[in-house]
Amino acid sequence: MESVQIKNIDPETAFLLSKQETGFEWELFKENVRPLKRGRNVRLLNQSLTSHNNNQLKKNLLETRRKLIEAIDDYKGEDPLQPWLECMKWVQEAFPAGGDSSGLIVIYEQCVRKFWHSERYKNDLRYLKIWLEYAENCVDAEVIYSFLDVNDIGQTHSVYYIAYALLLESKSKMKAANDMFSLGISREAQPIEKLKDAYKKFLVRSMTKPKNTDEDLDENQLPIRSFGTVLAREDNRMQTAQSSDFHRKKLKPDGTQRTSLLVYKDTKVDVISHQPDKSKAAWNSLGTRAERNKENHAIPSKWTSYKVPQKPGPRVGRPTPSARIEVFVDEECAKTRQASDESGSSSTLPVIHGDGQDNIKRETELLRKNPLRNFPPNSLPR
């Protein structure tokens, strides 16, 4: 009988009997968790959320991230992209809130920069999705799509054209988005059915987009009058009607007009008056054309005959080199750079190896604004 009761225990009671310390942290911090299409590992999610109050768990997460990044450099297999994918997946799970401290954007940038010139991964869908995820975290994603177009990366996949067209549509560039869909269909990007379905939905959205009504057009077509302009006849009639209504409001109920307010005028002679002197003769004539244009016909004089006096003496040669200013270099940064140089071509920057949160945040902010800042100039779109 007791065995039957144990088998029929619901999951909540089983969790309480297990006396686990974690399991419901996601209920307290779920508004800070970024959703993923593939879902999340609940155990790792609870562990990462508990690290907010547990410094030891936080150190363990940073240590695990460091080991995964080191495993990228130590990888000797046939698919160098695979350890990058595993590291990104783990960082997305272990840092559910994302943010600058996760270092995910820095890892995105280092991965795409390592393989951008590789012919093997140019048409790899996994590599293209890394680019697209990187673009979603940048301020101006259109720069990244232009880079992919120039370097012929992911041009055979329909997801590139769909993502690029949706970005243009979000910027109200409807014609450019339509051209991008047409370009993908003409290149027969795969899967072509997915691209055509997205194009049909785009056409429906563009056709059902609200347009300006007749009332809005009439309001926009009303003449805008600036100060000092003359109204048309119809507008003048409307203005006259309004002024007559205003004049009626000024009348008293008995029909008599209200008296205007008297303004005091000073009659003293010693007060300086700014009124024009009427005693002088009035300007009744504009004069001849020659009198009006006399200031525009100045007689030119020769000035090139003047010679600037120069001091006698030998000509001054090239300036003597002065003492160079010694640039201060931090010892810790110098050791880190020297270690990276000795290790050869490392796939990751020292900013991630050192786990310096300030350096990671600073680099993440720079990459958000300029995602191609570390790429060679010859690879950038012009």
Side-chain angles (χ1 to χ4, degrees):
M1 186 67 182
E2 293 179 356
S3 61
V4 176
Q5 292 179 354
I6 293 174
K7 290 181 180 179
N8 295 331
I9 292 177
D10 59 293
E12 294 182 0
T13 307
F15 172 77
L16 294 175
L17 293 176
S18 64
K19 297 181 180 180
Q20 296 182 10
E21 295 181 358
T22 61
F24 291 99
E25 285 78 5
W26 61 273
E27 285 287 352
L28 301 176
F29 302 98
K30 59 184 178 182
E31 67 274 4
N32 298 327
V33 177
R34 298 183 63 183
L36 295 177
K37 293 181 180 179
R38 64 174 182 270
R40 289 187 176 274
N41 185 349
V42 180
R43 186 176 297 275
L44 182 57
L45 176 62
N46 292 327
Q47 183 181 358
S48 60
L49 293 176
T50 311
S51 64
H52 292 285
N53 301 325
N54 193 330
N55 293 330
Q56 185 61 34
L57 286 177
K58 188 175 183 180
K59 290 181 180 179
N60 293 339
L61 291 176
L62 296 178
E63 182 65 19
T64 307
R65 184 181 66 178
R66 186 183 63 82
K67 291 181 180 180
L68 287 173
I69 293 173
E70 290 178 353
I72 296 174
D73 296 333
D74 300 336
Y75 183 78
K76 304 298 181 182
E78 298 179 355
D79 189 7
L81 185 61
Q82 185 60 32
W84 286 97
L85 296 174
E86 295 176 357
C87 179
M88 294 173 191
K89 182 179 179 180
W90 184 88
V91 171
Q92 290 175 351
E93 297 280 357
F95 296 87
D100 299 343
S101 60
S102 64
L104 185 61
I105 296 179
V106 181
I107 298 176
Y108 281 152
E109 191 270 339
Q110 293 172 8
C111 177
V112 297
R113 180 159 48 91
K114 183 175 178 60
F115 301 106
W116 73 271
H117 57 279
S118 176
E119 296 293 335
R120 175 182 178 181
Y121 292 109
K122 278 193 172 182
N123 291 321
D124 195 320
L125 183 59
R126 301 174 302 166
Y127 182 60
L128 176 61
K129 288 183 177 180
I130 297 174
W131 271 107
L132 299 182
E133 291 179 5
Y134 182 39
E136 291 177 358
N137 292 275
C138 298
V139 177
D140 189 9
E142 194 170 353
V143 177
I144 292 181
Y145 289 102
S146 301
F147 178 87
L148 297 178
D149 186 17
V150 170
N151 294 278
D152 196 19
I153 298 175
Q155 302 298 298
T156 60
H157 297 285
S158 61
V159 64
Y160 165 78
Y161 301 96
I162 294 173
Y164 198 180
L166 292 178
L167 174 67
L168 296 173
E169 183 184 0
S170 64
K171 294 184 176 182
S172 299
K173 298 180 180 180
M174 307 302 292
K175 185 178 182 303
N178 184 76
D179 296 341
M180 185 55 57
F181 275 116
S182 302
L183 179 62
I185 294 174
S186 63
R187 292 179 177 177
E188 297 183 354
Q190 298 299 324
I192 191 65
E193 294 80 8
K194 182 179 180 180
L195 180 59
K196 290 182 178 179
D197 292 341
Y199 186 41
K200 290 179 182 178
K201 294 178 182 178
F202 166 75
L203 293 177
V204 171
R205 290 194 301 271
S206 61
M207 294 297 292
T208 58
K209 188 176 181 180
K211 299 181 180 180
N212 294 330
T213 59
D214 296 336
E215 296 178 0
D216 297 336
L217 294 175
D218 294 338
E219 291 179 1
N220 295 331
Q221 292 176 359
L222 290 177
I224 300 175
R225 183 191 180 195
S226 58
F227 181 77
T229 57
V230 181
L231 293 174
R233 290 183 178 180
E234 297 179 0
D235 298 335
N236 196 8
R237 293 173 183 173
M238 294 174 60
Q239 189 77 10
T240 306
Q242 293 177 359
S243 61
S244 60
D245 294 340
F246 179 74
H247 182 69
R248 293 193 195 98
K249 294 179 181 179
K250 291 179 63 178
L251 295 177
K252 291 184 179 180
D254 55 358
T256 59
Q257 188 176 5
R258 298 178 182 177
T259 57
S260 58
L261 181 64
L262 297 178
V263 180
Y264 174 76
K265 294 182 180 181
D266 196 356
T267 56
K268 293 184 179 180
V269 183
D270 53 1
V271 177
I272 301 176
S273 177
H274 296 280
Q275 298 294 333
D277 191 3
K278 298 181 180 180
S279 60
K280 296 182 180 179
W283 190 17
N284 298 324
S285 175
L286 296 178
T288 61
R289 183 179 294 237
E291 292 179 354
R292 294 196 304 269
N293 298 336
K294 59 183 178 181
E295 67 274 5
N296 299 328
H297 297 282
I299 300 175
S301 59
K302 189 176 181 181
W303 60 274
T304 55
S305 60
Y306 182 76
K307 205 168 186 180
V308 179
Q310 300 180 358
K311 295 182 179 179
R315 293 185 177 180
V316 181
R318 296 181 62 184
T320 57
S322 58
R324 295 183 178 180
I325 301 176
E326 185 178 357
V327 180
F328 173 76
V329 179
D330 194 356
E331 295 179 359
E332 184 179 356
C333 295
K335 291 180 181 179
T336 308
R337 183 177 294 275
Q338 184 179 1
S340 62
D341 294 339
E342 292 176 357
S343 62
S345 58
S346 176
S347 62
T348 55
L349 295 176
V351 66
I352 295 293
H353 273 299
D355 290 330
Q357 296 299 322
D358 295 336
N359 296 334
I360 294 175
K361 290 181 179 180
R362 189 183 307 110
E363 184 69 16
T364 301
E365 292 176 358
L366 294 175
L367 291 176
R368 286 183 187 276
K369 298 177 181 178
N370 186 8
L372 304 177
R373 59 186 299 269
N374 296 322
F375 281 75
N378 58 352
S379 64
L380 302 179
R382 297 181 180 178

